[in-house]
């Protein structure tokens, strides 16, 4: 983004507290601003007060004209159609495999150690359901075409781990199932709207070790955030983990919106009818705590991406959270 403040300011280190710092990643720190174009990306960049102020100014500017109530209703009611159209155009070419998955979420690399105790292999499940005999069950919500699912399946090449994944787009799920590595023995992909409390999940309550939400909560209406999280949490085992990564407030994508895309505070519609919300750490913390989840991480990942060819600096803001469902007190 070419802009006085956002294109020229850079900083040297994180302003996150040590406890919220990412444990394994984030170590390319820009210490000498004159070297900014020597790499494609820098981690943990600080934002100056001036940049924060400029972010506020741009958001206030692009929030001046609100999309009409009728159109807002259309985007909500036809959300599945807009996402289907998105996948008709982009097929499986838009999102890339999440290669950062295991550095940001090492819990997924070592599922056996890091999540709740699975079913004892000698125990018989009370009801038969797909994946009921797996020792660890993972559910990815809003999985798109499987850019998270397949790296996990490839990393854990054993039958102990079973992955469920759902998406509101029928076409996305069709593409997941057409993947050469799709196997019903290890994966169950289904079409589902996670905001719908009546959705029929293929697993019982308290059966999941991990729930993954990667760039999906931002795609649903903010009025439905809490109910959606509450509903999903019912399916986590006590001791199970919720992993979240999504857009943060004043990310480049938010500041780039022009007038005419604003739906409500920090919520916008793209040109193709898909919608996106930009979160703050505080509201996420409040939302997860309200569902009695316990914080393990709530981290703002501020990264400076560099287009070396065009000598552009682009400031990205993502929020990453890990919250655990506590064991019941006996
Ligand atoms: C930005 S994409 C991210 C896809 C995937 N998580 C990834 O990171 O590659 C958002 C996804 O959420 C899905 N989605 C949007 N609203 C949904 C809903 N209410 N229920 C289930 N999936 C939804 C969309 O179809 C889309 O695949």
């Amino acid at each position: 983004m070419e802009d006085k403040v956002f294109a020229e300011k850079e900083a040297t280190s994180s302003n996150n507290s040590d406890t919220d710092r990412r444990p394994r990643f984030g170590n390319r720190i820009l210490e000498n601003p004159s070297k900014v174009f020597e790499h494609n990306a820098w981690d943990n960049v600080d934002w100056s007060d001036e940049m924060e102020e400029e972010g506020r100014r741009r958001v206030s500017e692009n929030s001046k004209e609100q999309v009409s109530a009728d159109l807002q209703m259309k985007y909500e009611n036809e959300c599945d159609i807009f996402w289907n159209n998105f996948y008709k155009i982009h097929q499986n070419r838009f999102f890339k495999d999440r290669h950062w998955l295991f550095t940001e979420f090492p819990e997924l690399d070592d599922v056996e150690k890091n999540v709740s105790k699975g079913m004892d292999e000698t125990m018989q499940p009370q009801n038969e359901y797909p994946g009921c005999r797996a020792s660890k069950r993972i559910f990815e919500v809003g999985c798109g075409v499987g850019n998270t699912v397949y790296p996990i399946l490839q990393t854990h090449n054993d039958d102990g781990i079973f992955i469920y994944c759902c998406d509101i787009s029928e076409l996305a799920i069709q593409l997941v199932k057409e993947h050469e590595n799709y196997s019903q023995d290890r994966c169950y992909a289904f079409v589902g709207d996670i905001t719908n409390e009546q959705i029929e999940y293929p697993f019982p309550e308290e059966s999941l070790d991990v729930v993954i939400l990667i760039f999906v909560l931002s795609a649903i209406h903010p009025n439905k955030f809490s109910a959606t999280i509450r509903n999903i949490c019912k399916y986590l085992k006590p001791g199970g983990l919720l992993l979240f990564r999504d857009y943060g407030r004043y990310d480049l994508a938010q500041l780039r919106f022009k007038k005419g895309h604003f739906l409500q505070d920090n919520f916008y519609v793209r040109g193709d009818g898909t919608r996106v919300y930009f979160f703050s750490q505080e509201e996420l913390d409040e939302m997860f705590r309200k569902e009695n989840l316990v914080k393990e991480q709530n981290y703002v990942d501020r990264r400076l991406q560099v287009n070396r060819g065009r000598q552009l600096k682009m400031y990205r803001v993502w929020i990453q959270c890990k919250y655990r469902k506590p064991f019941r007190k006996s």
Side-chain angles (χ1 to χ4, degrees), residues 215-262:
F215 295 100
V216 61
L217 204 60
S218 56
I220 74 174
H221 196 289
N223 291 353
K224 296 186 173 174
F225 288 163
S226 283
T228 302
I229 297 296
R230 185 168 320 124
N231 198 27
I232 294 169
C233 285
K234 284 200 298 216
Y235 294 89
L236 260 185
K237 284 179 188 172
L241 197 57
L242 183 146
L243 302 178
F244 171 97
R245 189 169 167 94
D246 218 319
Y247 294 105
R249 199 68 47 85
Y250 303 154
D251 176 57
L252 167 75
Q254 179 175 19
L255 304 187
R256 266 185 179 167
F257 273 110
K258 302 273 180 270
K259 280 185 200 160
H261 294 262
F262 173 71

Short mmCIF file of all heavy atoms in Angstrom, two decimals, residues 215-262:
data_model
loop_
_atom_site.label_atom_id
_atom_site.label_comp_id
_atom_site.label_asym_id
_atom_site.label_seq_id
_atom_site.Cartn_x
_atom_site.Cartn_y
_atom_site.Cartn_z
N PHE A 215 -9.70 -18.05 9.51
CA PHE A 215 -10.31 -17.08 8.58
C PHE A 215 -11.74 -17.47 8.22
O PHE A 215 -12.13 -17.41 7.07
CB PHE A 215 -9.44 -16.90 7.32
CG PHE A 215 -8.10 -16.29 7.63
CD1 PHE A 215 -6.97 -17.07 7.73
CD2 PHE A 215 -8.00 -14.93 7.86
CE1 PHE A 215 -5.74 -16.50 8.06
CE2 PHE A 215 -6.78 -14.35 8.19
CZ PHE A 215 -5.65 -15.14 8.29
N VAL A 216 -12.50 -17.87 9.24
CA VAL A 216 -13.90 -18.22 8.96
C VAL A 216 -14.88 -17.40 9.79
O VAL A 216 -15.91 -16.95 9.27
CB VAL A 216 -14.17 -19.73 9.10
CG1 VAL A 216 -13.91 -20.23 10.49
CG2 VAL A 216 -15.61 -20.04 8.74
N LEU A 217 -14.56 -17.14 11.06
CA LEU A 217 -15.52 -16.38 11.87
C LEU A 217 -15.73 -15.00 11.25
O LEU A 217 -16.84 -14.45 11.27
CB LEU A 217 -15.02 -16.26 13.31
CG LEU A 217 -16.11 -16.01 14.36
CD1 LEU A 217 -17.13 -17.14 14.37
CD2 LEU A 217 -15.53 -15.82 15.75
N SER A 218 -14.67 -14.47 10.65
CA SER A 218 -14.75 -13.14 10.02
C SER A 218 -15.74 -13.13 8.86
O SER A 218 -16.18 -12.07 8.42
CB SER A 218 -13.38 -12.72 9.49
OG SER A 218 -12.88 -13.69 8.62
N ALA A 219 -16.10 -14.32 8.35
CA ALA A 219 -16.99 -14.37 7.18
C ALA A 219 -18.47 -14.41 7.59
O ALA A 219 -19.33 -14.39 6.73
CB ALA A 219 -16.67 -15.60 6.35
N ILE A 220 -18.73 -14.46 8.91
CA ILE A 220 -20.14 -14.52 9.31
C ILE A 220 -20.58 -13.22 9.99
O ILE A 220 -19.74 -12.40 10.40
CB ILE A 220 -20.45 -15.76 10.17
CG1 ILE A 220 -19.90 -15.62 11.58
CG2 ILE A 220 -19.97 -17.04 9.53
CD1 ILE A 220 -20.32 -16.75 12.48
N HIS A 221 -21.87 -13.03 10.13
CA HIS A 221 -22.38 -11.78 10.69
C HIS A 221 -22.02 -11.66 12.18
O HIS A 221 -22.24 -12.62 12.94
CB HIS A 221 -23.90 -11.72 10.50
CG HIS A 221 -24.43 -10.34 10.69
ND1 HIS A 221 -24.49 -9.73 11.92
CD2 HIS A 221 -24.90 -9.44 9.79
CE1 HIS A 221 -24.99 -8.51 11.77
NE2 HIS A 221 -25.24 -8.31 10.48
N PRO A 222 -21.51 -10.49 12.61
CA PRO A 222 -21.10 -10.32 14.00
C PRO A 222 -22.20 -10.65 15.01
O PRO A 222 -21.90 -11.13 16.11
CB PRO A 222 -20.70 -8.84 14.11
CG PRO A 222 -20.42 -8.42 12.72
CD PRO A 222 -21.22 -9.29 11.80
N ASN A 223 -23.46 -10.44 14.64
CA ASN A 223 -24.55 -10.77 15.59
C ASN A 223 -24.59 -12.26 15.89
O ASN A 223 -25.22 -12.68 16.85
CB ASN A 223 -25.93 -10.40 15.01
CG ASN A 223 -26.10 -8.92 14.89
OD1 ASN A 223 -25.25 -8.16 15.36
ND2 ASN A 223 -27.19 -8.49 14.27
N LYS A 224 -23.93 -13.05 15.04
CA LYS A 224 -24.02 -14.51 15.21
C LYS A 224 -22.74 -15.10 15.82
O LYS A 224 -22.67 -16.32 15.99
CB LYS A 224 -24.33 -15.17 13.87
CG LYS A 224 -25.69 -14.75 13.33
CD LYS A 224 -26.06 -15.52 12.08
CE LYS A 224 -27.51 -15.21 11.68
NZ LYS A 224 -27.86 -15.82 10.39
N PHE A 225 -21.76 -14.25 16.12
CA PHE A 225 -20.48 -14.78 16.64
C PHE A 225 -20.68 -15.62 17.90
O PHE A 225 -20.23 -16.75 17.99
CB PHE A 225 -19.50 -13.65 16.98
CG PHE A 225 -18.91 -12.92 15.81
CD1 PHE A 225 -18.30 -11.68 15.99
CD2 PHE A 225 -18.93 -13.47 14.53
CE1 PHE A 225 -17.74 -11.00 14.91
CE2 PHE A 225 -18.37 -12.79 13.45
CZ PHE A 225 -17.77 -11.55 13.65
N SER A 226 -21.36 -15.01 18.89
CA SER A 226 -21.44 -15.66 20.20
C SER A 226 -22.18 -16.99 20.13
O SER A 226 -21.70 -18.00 20.65
CB SER A 226 -22.16 -14.77 21.20
OG SER A 226 -21.29 -13.78 21.61
N ALA A 227 -23.33 -16.97 19.45
CA ALA A 227 -24.12 -18.21 19.38
C ALA A 227 -23.34 -19.29 18.64
O ALA A 227 -23.39 -20.47 19.00
CB ALA A 227 -25.44 -17.93 18.67
N THR A 228 -22.58 -18.88 17.64
CA THR A 228 -21.80 -19.85 16.86
C THR A 228 -20.73 -20.50 17.74
O THR A 228 -20.57 -21.72 17.76
CB THR A 228 -21.15 -19.16 15.64
OG1 THR A 228 -22.18 -18.57 14.86
CG2 THR A 228 -20.36 -20.12 14.80
N ILE A 229 -20.01 -19.66 18.47
CA ILE A 229 -18.95 -20.19 19.35
C ILE A 229 -19.57 -21.11 20.40
O ILE A 229 -19.06 -22.20 20.69
CB ILE A 229 -18.16 -19.04 20.04
CG1 ILE A 229 -17.44 -18.19 18.99
CG2 ILE A 229 -17.17 -19.57 21.06
CD1 ILE A 229 -16.37 -18.89 18.20
N ARG A 230 -20.69 -20.66 20.96
CA ARG A 230 -21.35 -21.46 22.01
C ARG A 230 -21.71 -22.85 21.45
O ARG A 230 -21.45 -23.87 22.07
CB ARG A 230 -22.61 -20.76 22.49
CG ARG A 230 -23.29 -21.45 23.67
CD ARG A 230 -24.37 -20.59 24.30
NE ARG A 230 -23.94 -19.21 24.36
CZ ARG A 230 -24.61 -18.17 23.85
NH1 ARG A 230 -25.78 -18.36 23.25
NH2 ARG A 230 -24.14 -16.94 23.93
N ASN A 231 -22.27 -22.84 20.26
CA ASN A 231 -22.71 -24.09 19.64
C ASN A 231 -21.52 -25.03 19.40
O ASN A 231 -21.56 -26.21 19.73
CB ASN A 231 -23.43 -23.76 18.33
CG ASN A 231 -24.28 -24.90 17.87
OD1 ASN A 231 -24.75 -25.70 18.68
ND2 ASN A 231 -24.47 -25.01 16.58
N ILE A 232 -20.45 -24.46 18.85
CA ILE A 232 -19.28 -25.30 18.54
C ILE A 232 -18.67 -25.87 19.81
O ILE A 232 -18.24 -27.02 19.86
CB ILE A 232 -18.22 -24.47 17.78
CG1 ILE A 232 -18.75 -24.07 16.41
CG2 ILE A 232 -16.93 -25.25 17.62
CD1 ILE A 232 -17.87 -23.05 15.72
N CYS A 233 -18.65 -25.03 20.87
CA CYS A 233 -17.99 -25.46 22.12
C CYS A 233 -18.66 -26.67 22.75
O CYS A 233 -18.02 -27.43 23.48
CB CYS A 233 -17.96 -24.32 23.13
SG CYS A 233 -16.73 -23.10 22.69
N LYS A 234 -19.93 -26.84 22.45
CA LYS A 234 -20.64 -28.02 23.01
C LYS A 234 -19.98 -29.32 22.56
O LYS A 234 -20.06 -30.33 23.22
CB LYS A 234 -22.10 -28.03 22.49
CG LYS A 234 -23.00 -27.02 23.16
CD LYS A 234 -24.46 -27.39 22.98
CE LYS A 234 -24.87 -27.39 21.54
NZ LYS A 234 -26.16 -26.95 21.15
N TYR A 235 -19.34 -29.25 21.40
CA TYR A 235 -18.80 -30.48 20.81
C TYR A 235 -17.35 -30.74 21.24
O TYR A 235 -16.81 -31.80 20.98
CB TYR A 235 -18.93 -30.42 19.28
CG TYR A 235 -20.39 -30.43 18.90
CD1 TYR A 235 -21.11 -29.25 18.79
CD2 TYR A 235 -21.07 -31.64 18.76
CE1 TYR A 235 -22.47 -29.25 18.52
CE2 TYR A 235 -22.43 -31.65 18.48
CZ TYR A 235 -23.12 -30.46 18.36
OH TYR A 235 -24.46 -30.48 18.11
N LEU A 236 -16.73 -29.74 21.90
CA LEU A 236 -15.36 -29.94 22.39
C LEU A 236 -15.40 -30.78 23.65
O LEU A 236 -16.25 -30.59 24.51
CB LEU A 236 -14.75 -28.58 22.77
CG LEU A 236 -13.81 -27.86 21.83
CD1 LEU A 236 -13.27 -26.60 22.52
CD2 LEU A 236 -12.64 -28.74 21.36
N LYS A 237 -14.44 -31.69 23.78
CA LYS A 237 -14.32 -32.44 25.03
C LYS A 237 -13.84 -31.49 26.13
O LYS A 237 -13.13 -30.53 25.82
CB LYS A 237 -13.19 -33.47 24.90
CG LYS A 237 -13.49 -34.67 24.11
CD LYS A 237 -12.22 -35.52 24.11
CE LYS A 237 -12.33 -36.68 23.18
NZ LYS A 237 -11.05 -37.38 23.02
N PRO A 238 -14.10 -31.77 27.38
CA PRO A 238 -13.40 -31.05 28.43
C PRO A 238 -11.90 -31.27 28.22
O PRO A 238 -11.47 -32.41 27.96
CB PRO A 238 -13.89 -31.74 29.72
CG PRO A 238 -15.22 -32.33 29.33
CD PRO A 238 -15.08 -32.74 27.89
N GLY A 239 -11.13 -30.22 28.26
CA GLY A 239 -9.69 -30.33 27.98
C GLY A 239 -9.38 -30.10 26.50
O GLY A 239 -8.22 -29.99 26.11
N GLY A 240 -10.41 -30.00 25.67
CA GLY A 240 -10.21 -29.80 24.23
C GLY A 240 -9.81 -28.36 23.93
O GLY A 240 -10.01 -27.44 24.73
N LEU A 241 -9.26 -28.16 22.73
CA LEU A 241 -8.64 -26.89 22.39
C LEU A 241 -9.31 -26.24 21.18
O LEU A 241 -9.59 -26.92 20.20
CB LEU A 241 -7.17 -27.18 22.06
CG LEU A 241 -6.16 -26.07 22.04
CD1 LEU A 241 -6.10 -25.32 23.37
CD2 LEU A 241 -4.78 -26.64 21.71
N LEU A 242 -9.55 -24.93 21.28
CA LEU A 242 -10.06 -24.18 20.12
C LEU A 242 -8.90 -23.35 19.56
O LEU A 242 -8.26 -22.58 20.29
CB LEU A 242 -11.20 -23.27 20.59
CG LEU A 242 -11.91 -22.45 19.51
CD1 LEU A 242 -13.39 -22.30 19.88
CD2 LEU A 242 -11.31 -21.08 19.35
N LEU A 243 -8.61 -23.53 18.28
CA LEU A 243 -7.52 -22.79 17.62
C LEU A 243 -8.13 -21.82 16.63
O LEU A 243 -8.95 -22.20 15.80
CB LEU A 243 -6.59 -23.76 16.88
CG LEU A 243 -5.94 -24.86 17.74
CD1 LEU A 243 -5.09 -25.78 16.87
CD2 LEU A 243 -5.08 -24.25 18.84
N PHE A 244 -7.69 -20.56 16.71
CA PHE A 244 -8.32 -19.50 15.92
C PHE A 244 -7.26 -18.61 15.29
O PHE A 244 -6.29 -18.23 15.95
CB PHE A 244 -9.20 -18.67 16.89
CG PHE A 244 -9.77 -17.41 16.30
CD1 PHE A 244 -11.07 -17.39 15.80
CD2 PHE A 244 -9.04 -16.23 16.26
CE1 PHE A 244 -11.63 -16.22 15.27
CE2 PHE A 244 -9.57 -15.06 15.73
CZ PHE A 244 -10.87 -15.06 15.23
N ARG A 245 -7.46 -18.28 14.03
CA ARG A 245 -6.61 -17.24 13.40
C ARG A 245 -7.48 -16.49 12.41
O ARG A 245 -8.22 -17.10 11.63
CB ARG A 245 -5.41 -17.87 12.70
CG ARG A 245 -4.39 -16.84 12.23
CD ARG A 245 -3.12 -17.55 11.80
NE ARG A 245 -2.24 -16.69 11.08
CZ ARG A 245 -1.24 -15.98 11.61
NH1 ARG A 245 -1.00 -16.06 12.90
NH2 ARG A 245 -0.47 -15.22 10.87
N ASP A 246 -7.41 -15.16 12.45
CA ASP A 246 -8.30 -14.38 11.57
C ASP A 246 -7.80 -12.94 11.46
O ASP A 246 -6.80 -12.56 12.07
CB ASP A 246 -9.73 -14.42 12.13
CG ASP A 246 -10.77 -14.52 11.02
OD1 ASP A 246 -10.59 -13.83 10.00
OD2 ASP A 246 -11.76 -15.26 11.17
N TYR A 247 -8.54 -12.15 10.69
CA TYR A 247 -8.14 -10.75 10.45
C TYR A 247 -8.23 -9.91 11.71
O TYR A 247 -9.20 -10.00 12.46
CB TYR A 247 -9.06 -10.12 9.41
CG TYR A 247 -8.94 -10.72 8.05
CD1 TYR A 247 -9.92 -11.57 7.56
CD2 TYR A 247 -7.84 -10.44 7.24
CE1 TYR A 247 -9.81 -12.14 6.30
CE2 TYR A 247 -7.73 -11.00 5.98
CZ TYR A 247 -8.71 -11.84 5.51
OH TYR A 247 -8.59 -12.40 4.27
N GLY A 248 -7.23 -9.05 11.91
CA GLY A 248 -7.24 -8.11 13.04
C GLY A 248 -7.57 -6.70 12.59
O GLY A 248 -7.47 -6.37 11.40
N ARG A 249 -7.96 -5.89 13.56
CA ARG A 249 -8.35 -4.51 13.31
C ARG A 249 -7.23 -3.73 12.63
O ARG A 249 -6.08 -3.81 13.06
CB ARG A 249 -8.69 -3.90 14.69
CG ARG A 249 -9.51 -2.67 14.75
CD ARG A 249 -10.92 -2.79 14.33
NE ARG A 249 -11.75 -3.88 14.82
CZ ARG A 249 -12.42 -3.90 15.96
NH1 ARG A 249 -12.34 -2.90 16.79
NH2 ARG A 249 -13.20 -4.92 16.27
N TYR A 250 -7.57 -3.02 11.59
CA TYR A 250 -6.67 -2.16 10.79
C TYR A 250 -5.70 -2.96 9.91
O TYR A 250 -4.67 -2.45 9.48
CB TYR A 250 -5.87 -1.18 11.66
CG TYR A 250 -6.72 -0.26 12.50
CD1 TYR A 250 -6.22 0.29 13.68
CD2 TYR A 250 -8.02 0.06 12.13
CE1 TYR A 250 -7.00 1.13 14.47
CE2 TYR A 250 -8.82 0.89 12.91
CZ TYR A 250 -8.30 1.41 14.07
OH TYR A 250 -9.06 2.23 14.85
N ASP A 251 -6.05 -4.22 9.68
CA ASP A 251 -5.27 -4.96 8.68
C ASP A 251 -5.38 -4.22 7.34
O ASP A 251 -6.39 -3.55 7.05
CB ASP A 251 -5.84 -6.38 8.54
CG ASP A 251 -5.12 -7.16 7.44
OD1 ASP A 251 -3.89 -7.28 7.53
OD2 ASP A 251 -5.79 -7.61 6.48
N LEU A 252 -4.36 -4.39 6.53
CA LEU A 252 -4.34 -3.79 5.19
C LEU A 252 -5.67 -4.00 4.45
O LEU A 252 -6.18 -3.09 3.79
CB LEU A 252 -3.20 -4.48 4.43
CG LEU A 252 -3.11 -4.31 2.93
CD1 LEU A 252 -2.58 -2.93 2.61
CD2 LEU A 252 -2.19 -5.37 2.34
N ALA A 253 -6.25 -5.21 4.58
CA ALA A 253 -7.50 -5.51 3.86
C ALA A 253 -8.63 -4.60 4.32
O ALA A 253 -9.50 -4.25 3.53
CB ALA A 253 -7.88 -6.97 4.06
N GLN A 254 -8.62 -4.22 5.60
CA GLN A 254 -9.68 -3.32 6.09
C GLN A 254 -9.45 -1.89 5.60
O GLN A 254 -10.38 -1.21 5.17
CB GLN A 254 -9.74 -3.32 7.63
CG GLN A 254 -10.81 -2.39 8.17
CD GLN A 254 -11.00 -2.45 9.69
OE1 GLN A 254 -10.11 -2.91 10.40
NE2 GLN A 254 -12.13 -1.96 10.17
N LEU A 255 -8.20 -1.48 5.64
CA LEU A 255 -7.91 -0.09 5.28
C LEU A 255 -8.05 0.15 3.77
O LEU A 255 -8.26 1.28 3.34
CB LEU A 255 -6.50 0.29 5.75
CG LEU A 255 -6.26 0.09 7.24
CD1 LEU A 255 -4.90 0.65 7.64
CD2 LEU A 255 -7.35 0.73 8.08
N ARG A 256 -7.97 -0.93 3.01
CA ARG A 256 -8.09 -0.78 1.56
C ARG A 256 -9.52 -0.60 1.07
O ARG A 256 -9.72 -0.23 -0.08
CB ARG A 256 -7.54 -2.04 0.88
CG ARG A 256 -6.09 -1.90 0.51
CD ARG A 256 -5.71 -3.15 -0.25
NE ARG A 256 -4.33 -3.07 -0.67
CZ ARG A 256 -3.65 -4.09 -1.12
NH1 ARG A 256 -4.22 -5.28 -1.21
NH2 ARG A 256 -2.40 -3.95 -1.48
N PHE A 257 -10.52 -0.95 1.92
CA PHE A 257 -11.90 -0.81 1.45
C PHE A 257 -12.21 0.63 1.12
O PHE A 257 -11.84 1.55 1.84
CB PHE A 257 -12.89 -1.30 2.53
CG PHE A 257 -13.15 -2.78 2.47
CD1 PHE A 257 -12.68 -3.62 3.45
CD2 PHE A 257 -13.85 -3.32 1.39
CE1 PHE A 257 -12.89 -4.98 3.39
CE2 PHE A 257 -14.08 -4.69 1.31
CZ PHE A 257 -13.60 -5.52 2.31
N LYS A 258 -12.91 0.78 0.00
CA LYS A 258 -13.37 2.12 -0.38
C LYS A 258 -14.77 2.30 0.17
O LYS A 258 -15.39 1.34 0.65
CB LYS A 258 -13.42 2.24 -1.92
CG LYS A 258 -12.09 1.96 -2.60
CD LYS A 258 -11.26 3.22 -2.66
CE LYS A 258 -9.91 2.98 -3.32
NZ LYS A 258 -8.83 2.60 -2.41
N LYS A 259 -15.30 3.50 0.06
CA LYS A 259 -16.68 3.75 0.48
C LYS A 259 -17.63 2.82 -0.28
O LYS A 259 -17.37 2.47 -1.42
CB LYS A 259 -17.07 5.19 0.18
CG LYS A 259 -16.55 6.16 1.21
CD LYS A 259 -17.10 7.56 0.91
CE LYS A 259 -16.24 8.59 1.59
NZ LYS A 259 -16.37 9.91 1.02
N GLY A 260 -18.77 2.48 0.38
CA GLY A 260 -19.79 1.68 -0.30
C GLY A 260 -19.71 0.20 0.04
O GLY A 260 -20.53 -0.59 -0.44
N HIS A 261 -18.74 -0.19 0.86
CA HIS A 261 -18.61 -1.61 1.24
C HIS A 261 -18.93 -1.84 2.71
O HIS A 261 -18.89 -2.97 3.19
CB HIS A 261 -17.18 -2.09 0.96
CG HIS A 261 -16.86 -2.12 -0.50
ND1 HIS A 261 -16.91 -3.26 -1.26
CD2 HIS A 261 -16.50 -1.11 -1.35
CE1 HIS A 261 -16.60 -2.97 -2.52
NE2 HIS A 261 -16.34 -1.68 -2.59
N PHE A 262 -19.24 -0.77 3.41
CA PHE A 262 -19.40 -0.84 4.86
C PHE A 262 -20.78 -1.40 5.24
O PHE A 262 -21.81 -0.89 4.79
CB PHE A 262 -19.23 0.58 5.42
CG PHE A 262 -19.53 0.72 6.88
CD1 PHE A 262 -18.67 0.17 7.84
CD2 PHE A 262 -20.66 1.42 7.31
CE1 PHE A 262 -18.95 0.33 9.20
CE2 PHE A 262 -20.93 1.58 8.66
CZ PHE A 262 -20.08 1.03 9.59
#
